[in-house]
Amino acid sequence: MILLKTATDLSFFLSAKKAQGLQTGFVPTMGALHEGHLRLVEHSKKNNNITVVSIFVNPTQFNDPQDFTRYPVTLENDIYLLEKTGCDILFLPSVPEIYPSGMQLTQPYDLGYLETLLEGKYRPGHFQGVCQVVHRLLELVQPANLYLGQKDYQQCMVIRQLIHLTALPVQLEIVPTKREPSGLAMSSRNLRLSENEKKAAAVIYQCLVTIQAGLKPGSLDSLVTEATAAILAAGFDKIDYVSIADAATLLPVTAWDGQSKLVALVAAFISGVRLIDNLTLN
Ligand code: PAF
């Protein structure tokens, strides 16, 4: 694996590969890598000649400064895991490499209503920061394929909109969420939880599965109310949302017509750590 730290080195290296007709797959990350990330790398390796992974804890997407300073950093282990998985290039830029003219976003991305609900509502500005960094990274890496995890369901929709807005020639592949045996979705933030907290946090997945099992046409209110109560009873401090939404638009669905595709999404805090998860229901 080659480790590159500057935008110039990365562009130089990749343009030489492109000239040889080699295709690049790209996995953007913020580090603290787990099996979910490695699965993205494996998908990329299967379908591309070169796989680039970036590790960059992007300051502009953290609406909560404490979440930024507490974001886990495990670089040595990340490098070990990426080597083992067969990643070709690790891009490890500094803030000035990503934002040479400063972090201020000059032109906001038009994300429409997507920015006003769920993560957009509870993390104001978050998706603008995500678009800002992913846009910059896509311009640098110029991949044929981009790999994102389904755990960040709304982020995947936002990036699809970014690709549409920028007309960048990249295909987005969304890879299913990797889970612990308990069902807990793998997340870098799980590193901030004790073993007991992790056990308790599995309630989120249990609730998603319960919602799926209980789905029937008509009002969905009781499914949401029961899931909310179960998450709080398991020891979560606060819930941002438990929502059942249209899987294509993310608009909330309170009564199901028995046909439309649905997704259930949760964001909740346990011991001050914010976890998100989702499950497509039908
Ligand atoms: O999902 C993440 O880890 C981040 O939001 C991403 C896509 C790497 C952008 O910083």
Side-chain angles (χ1 to χ4, degrees):
M1 182 170 76
I2 300 173
L3 196 161
L4 300 171
K5 290 192 167 181
T6 69
T8 317
D9 284 352
L10 182 76
S11 301
F12 184 74
F13 185 91
L14 288 176
S15 49
K17 297 289 172 197
K18 216 177 189 179
Q20 293 167 26
L22 299 180
Q23 180 174 290
T24 300
F26 178 45
V27 181
T29 83
M30 298 203 298
L33 302 182
H34 50 70
E35 277 180 53
H37 294 113
L38 302 181
R39 201 179 255 193
L40 301 181
V41 175
E42 282 157 10
H43 273 254
S44 172
K45 280 181 63 68
K46 243 180 246 157
N47 297 307
N48 301 278
N49 306 106
I50 300 170
T51 291
V52 178
V53 173
S54 62
I55 296 182
F56 178 66
V57 186
N58 173 35
T60 71
Q61 72 184 72
F62 286 85
N63 54 309
D64 173 0
Q66 283 208 341
D67 191 26
F68 175 61
T69 48
R70 288 186 193 154
Y71 202 83
V73 176
T74 58
L75 189 55
E76 251 180 68
N77 191 50
D78 293 351
I79 291 174
Y80 167 75
L81 293 174
L82 289 175
E83 283 263 21
K84 211 170 75 171
T85 315
C87 166
D88 299 298
I89 297 172
L90 168 58
F91 182 45
L92 197 63
S94 63
V95 170
E97 282 297 325
I98 292 294
Y99 300 121
S101 359
M103 292 199 279
Q104 198 62 39
L105 188 60
T106 42
Q107 177 80 35
Y109 296 89
D110 180 7
L111 303 176
Y113 72 90
L114 260 186
E115 242 187 327
T116 65
L117 43 81
L118 305 171
E119 292 302 284
K121 176 173 166 194
Y122 287 94
R123 301 187 67 189
H126 168 63
F127 285 133
Q128 290 295 328
V130 169
C131 284
Q132 185 185 15
V133 75
V134 173
H135 188 184
R136 169 80 171 136
L137 289 166
L138 287 177
E139 282 184 339
L140 290 173
V141 179
Q142 297 184 20
N145 297 298
L146 170 68
Y147 297 85
L148 295 174
Q150 195 199 312
K151 188 179 80 74
D152 298 294
Y153 193 96
Q154 193 173 4
Q155 171 170 276
C156 293
M157 289 179 64
V158 162
I159 300 297
R160 188 167 280 136
Q161 170 69 358
L162 171 73
I163 292 169
H164 170 75
L165 289 171
T166 56
L168 287 167
V170 58
Q171 291 293 322
L172 171 60
E173 190 181 324
I174 298 167
V175 178
T177 305
K178 177 86 184 154
R179 299 181 179 282
E180 302 286 354
S182 67
L184 175 66
M186 290 198 180
S187 163
S188 305
R189 288 186 176 84
N190 294 353
L191 284 174
R192 290 175 49 203
L193 300 177
S194 70
E195 283 311 309
N196 278 342
E197 287 161 348
K198 272 193 225 164
K199 254 187 225 155
V203 73
I204 293 185
Y205 182 64
Q206 288 152 16
C207 285
L208 291 170
V209 171
T210 305
I211 290 175
Q212 188 178 47
L215 186 68
K216 54 180 189 312
S219 171
L220 302 173
D221 287 353
S222 63
L223 289 176
V224 171
T225 313
E226 282 160 25
T228 306
I231 291 169
L232 289 173
F236 274 76
D237 329 309
K238 191 173 109 171
I239 297 184
D240 276 351
Y241 56 81
V242 174
S243 173
I244 302 179
D246 183 288
T249 63
L250 274 191
L251 292 171
V253 175
T254 50
W256 186 43
D257 60 9
Q259 303 218 308
S260 55
K261 295 264 179 254
L262 300 179
V263 58
L265 309 103
V266 173
F269 289 85
I270 183 160
S271 306
V273 180
R274 189 173 185 278
L275 302 180
I276 62 170
D277 199 357
N278 67 80
L279 190 69
T280 46
L281 299 181
N282 54 328

